[in-house]
Amino acid sequence: MYYHVNGDLVPAAEAAISVADRGFKYGDAAFETLRAYGGTPLAWDAHHERLVRTAETLGFADAVPEDLRKRVGRTLAENDLEDAYVRVSVTRGVQPGKLTPDPDVDPGVVVLVKELPRGGQEGTRVWDEPATVQTVRTRKAASDAIPADAKTHNYLNGLLGRIELRRSAGGGTPADECLLRDHADHVVEGATSNLFFVSDDGLRTPSADLDLLPGITRDIVLELANEEDFPVETGRYGVDAVRNADEAFLTNSTWEIRPIATIDGIDVGGGPMTTLLQRLFDDYVERTHY
Amino acid sequence: MYYHVNGDLVPAAEAAISVADRGFKYGDAAFETLRAYGGTPLAWDAHHERLVRTAETLGFADAVPEDLRKRVGRTLAENDLEDAYVRVSVTRGVQPGKLTPDPDVDPGVVVLVKELPRGGQEGTRVWDEPATVQTVRTRKAASDAIPADAKTHNYLNGLLGRIELRRSAGGGTPADECLLRDHADHVVEGATSNLFFVSDDGLRTPSADLDLLPGITRDIVLELANEEDFPVETGRYGVDAVRNADEAFLTNSTWEIRPIATIDGIDVGGGPMTTLLQRLFDDYVERTHY
């Protein structure tokens, strides 16, 4: 396997960045994870836009290289990958050793890829089973401390939610995803996924006004639902609304649309709306990539 | 210059970690910054203890190598450094590409050093001038989202405070340190420093019950003040208490004790208590290291 690091394709085992890179020292880096289907990244423009927006929040939007998509394409080609997981990171690079950043940025740019057989019409999902979900004590960081809409290498908040799942499972099987709430007890998102549920025949998802990262897959699902004239509501919900839902599912680039089996041990499950959205999503991928 | 990376001394220019290391991908790493005086790290045991505690929060305390202090010593010796800045990081290492960590940890271990002439009785301070300090809109993340007493590579919260200083300065000179408040408007700490001030002849500092990282230098200062029977109070203070203080200063390992010139443009300055504590600190370093 070859990765793309700072302009060069290098064997994965040798792909490394300086220990003085701020992406390593402080998590001072923007990133995106996405999927390539049939050799083409899904929703590249949306991912690229969000990456630039994250870099803007960090103050180095200008350092995002213009040929980023080419680097992704070259990495996929070098590895003969058509269907793949892709992770793109842009760091603030190596700077003198103080926390206050220098405006002059020579970024670190990393593209990681991994084979990921396609889901959808002709393939199999990444996940074996619908997700078990558990609410955790870890709360979503408020955006005035850590901006929720910036996707950075500071991933401790979600990571602690996942660690909590393992700890609370004792020796048993931890839940697949944690459900994070904000300090006002609204459900916001999972550690790596957005939440949807179906109640009163309407599709619902926490509003992007809350402290969450509005996923690209979330956007696609909302768009597909709108195209079908499904009733859609974005709002503020407590965990009870989700536990009592008729259906619920999670979205992210790798899972696509993954039904929720249980929340805090309470059966929820997928259903007709979830299945239909999965088919619409698969059609969308098929139509745009194969 | 040589750094110590995963068991080996390597030239700084080649010192690198895998792009798949979780310390890079998620900031999933514990670290400490400290100073060596006369070849010996100051308060090694306290730094080591806090590093292990941070790793424990992250769930990989057992992975902190037992010979960490030796690695620091070897790195200092290889570079002929007696008086130095030292940064020690322990990461969760390379693991399969999902966020939920594997309990089996082969850590990444990095020691960075840099020459840092001694301060104190015989030397000069790292800083040229007392610090200008400014309160920022960025709030300290609540500990139920990001534990404040864990020192990790997730340093975005403080970094955003510093970036805010630069942005609010326009083209002018940004303040040296930002003062972060929690969501209840208590002052907690700077991006890389703890805050002390003097009011009514007493030394005051935000309580460690608040969401802050109790620094090792903070602990030493509190101990020195107690030894001298100075009245010391740890509590919850608003920014006005600090602005109206008779004296104020910041502490961290590299700055040691740095007087605050101004807070939000209001003169505060050092004074007799600050100067006395600086002398006591310098005596302490002299007594224990030279």
Side-chain angles (χ1 to χ4, degrees):
Chain A
M1 191 69 68
Y2 285 78
Y3 295 158
H4 207 289
V5 182
N6 295 341
D8 296 309
L9 283 162
V10 288
E14 296 161 27
I17 58 130
S18 170
V19 295
D21 190 289
R22 292 178 58 106
F24 174 64
K25 288 173 74 179
Y26 306 119
D28 190 5
F31 83 104
E32 286 292 317
T33 53
L34 48 119
R35 276 180 86 152
Y37 297 91
T40 312
L42 181 76
W44 171 261
D45 288 348
H47 282 286
H48 180 260
E49 196 182 296
R50 188 170 65 181
L51 184 76
V52 171
R53 215 164 52 231
T54 298
E56 207 165 73
T57 299
L58 299 178
F60 60 87
D62 294 346
V64 176
E66 291 195 358
D67 66 343
L68 202 51
R69 186 174 174 157
K70 263 193 200 153
R71 296 190 199 202
V72 171
R74 259 183 240 135
T75 315
L76 291 170
E78 183 73 19
N79 292 290
D80 279 325
L81 287 175
E82 298 265 299
D83 298 308
Y85 162 94
V86 181
R87 190 186 205 266
V88 182
S89 296
V90 179
T91 81
R92 204 187 305 265
V94 176
Q95 293 195 340
K98 51 191 179 58
L99 179 63
T100 299
D102 194 300
D104 214 14
V105 175
D106 180 16
V109 183
V110 176
V111 181
L112 299 184
V113 295
K114 197 168 60 178
E115 190 175 7
L116 188 59
R118 61 175 297 199
Q121 289 184 348
E122 313 270 322
T124 51
R125 304 284 176 199
V126 173
W127 40 271
D128 294 322
E129 301 281 343
T132 52
V133 173
Q134 197 180 302
T135 49
V136 286
R137 274 177 301 182
T138 301
R139 296 294 170 132
K140 182 71 195 180
S143 276
D144 58 3
I146 310 279
D149 60 353
K151 195 170 171 87
T152 76
H153 283 213
N154 273 246
Y155 222 87
L156 188 54
N157 196 192
L159 173 57
L160 287 169
R162 288 286 183 87
I163 289 172
E164 204 183 319
L165 293 181
R166 197 174 75 195
R167 284 185 175 146
S168 66
T173 308
D176 297 310
E177 180 60 300
C178 56
L179 185 55
L180 295 166
R181 288 165 295 166
D182 64 17
H183 289 98
D185 284 338
H186 303 117
V187 296
V188 285
E189 62 187 356
T192 65
S193 59
N194 288 118
L195 170 76
F196 284 85
F197 61 100
V198 180
S199 291
D200 308 328
D201 292 331
L203 183 65
R204 296 173 185 207
T205 192
S207 164
D209 292 340
L210 293 164
D211 291 337
L212 56 83
L213 184 78
I216 308 297
T217 310
R218 175 182 179 277
D219 288 347
I220 294 172
V221 167
L222 287 173
E223 205 177 297
L224 293 170
N226 281 326
E227 279 170 16
E228 298 289 325
D229 288 327
F230 295 160
V232 173
E233 181 188 274
T234 60
R236 292 162 183 251
Y237 310 106
V239 68
D240 277 346
V242 193
R243 285 185 190 146
N244 295 326
D246 300 322
E247 309 177 25
F249 60 88
L250 300 170
T251 60
N252 71 26
S253 291
T254 52
W255 287 345
E256 301 167 326
I257 296 174
R258 183 176 183 179
I260 292 176
T262 59
I263 294 179
D264 300 332
I266 298 159
D267 283 327
V268 180
M273 175 81 87
T274 306
T275 305
L276 185 51
L277 285 166
Q278 285 177 312
R279 293 216 180 120
L280 292 169
F281 186 87
D282 293 344
D283 289 348
Y284 170 78
V285 170
E286 195 67 27
R287 189 166 79 235
T288 49
H289 289 78
Y290 295 97
Chain B
M1 190 70 66
Y2 285 79
Y3 295 158
H4 206 289
V5 182
N6 296 341
D8 296 309
L9 284 162
V10 288
E14 295 161 27
I17 58 131
S18 169
V19 294
D21 190 290
R22 293 178 58 105
F24 174 63
K25 288 172 73 178
Y26 306 119
D28 190 6
F31 84 103
E32 286 293 318
T33 54
L34 48 119
R35 275 182 87 150
Y37 296 91
T40 312
L42 181 76
W44 171 261
D45 289 349
H47 282 286
H48 180 259
E49 197 182 297
R50 188 170 65 181
L51 185 75
V52 171
R53 217 164 50 232
T54 298
E56 207 164 73
T57 300
L58 299 177
F60 60 87
D62 294 346
V64 176
E66 292 194 358
D67 66 344
L68 202 51
R69 186 174 174 157
K70 263 192 200 154
R71 297 190 198 200
V72 171
R74 260 184 241 134
T75 315
L76 291 170
E78 184 74 19
N79 292 290
D80 279 324
L81 288 175
E82 299 263 299
D83 298 307
Y85 162 94
V86 181
R87 191 186 205 266
V88 182
S89 295
V90 180
T91 81
R92 204 188 303 265
V94 176
Q95 293 195 340
K98 51 191 179 57
L99 179 63
T100 299
D102 194 301
D104 215 13
V105 175
D106 180 16
V109 183
V110 176
V111 181
L112 298 185
V113 295
K114 197 169 59 178
E115 189 174 9
L116 188 59
R118 62 174 298 198
Q121 288 184 351
E122 314 270 325
T124 50
R125 304 284 176 198
V126 173
W127 39 271
D128 295 322
E129 300 283 341
T132 52
V133 173
Q134 197 180 301
T135 49
V136 287
R137 274 177 302 182
T138 302
R139 295 295 169 131
K140 181 72 194 178
S143 276
D144 58 4
I146 310 280
D149 60 353
K151 196 171 170 84
T152 76
H153 283 213
N154 274 245
Y155 222 86
L156 187 55
N157 196 192
L159 172 57
L160 288 169
R162 289 285 183 87
I163 288 173
E164 204 183 318
L165 293 181
R166 198 175 74 194
R167 284 186 175 146
S168 66
T173 309
D176 297 310
E177 180 61 301
C178 57
L179 186 55
L180 295 166
R181 288 164 295 166
D182 64 17
H183 289 97
D185 284 338
H186 303 117
V187 296
V188 286
E189 62 187 356
T192 65
S193 58
N194 288 117
L195 171 77
F196 284 84
F197 61 100
V198 180
S199 291
D200 307 329
D201 292 330
L203 183 65
R204 298 177 182 202
T205 191
S207 164
D209 293 340
L210 294 164
D211 291 336
L212 57 83
L213 184 78
I216 308 297
T217 310
R218 174 182 180 276
D219 289 346
I220 295 173
V221 167
L222 287 174
E223 206 178 296
L224 293 170
N226 281 326
E227 279 170 16
E228 298 289 325
D229 288 327
F230 295 160
V232 173
E233 181 188 272
T234 61
R236 292 163 183 250
Y237 310 106
V239 68
D240 277 347
V242 192
R243 285 186 189 145
N244 296 325
D246 300 321
E247 310 176 25
F249 60 88
L250 300 170
T251 60
N252 70 27
S253 291
T254 52
W255 286 345
E256 301 167 322
I257 296 174
R258 183 175 182 178
I260 292 176
T262 59
I263 295 180
D264 299 332
I266 297 160
D267 283 326
V268 181
M273 175 79 87
T274 306
T275 304
L276 185 49
L277 284 165
Q278 286 177 312
R279 291 216 181 123
L280 291 168
F281 185 87
D282 292 345
D283 289 348
Y284 170 78
V285 169
E286 195 67 27
R287 191 165 77 236
T288 50
H289 288 78
Y290 295 97

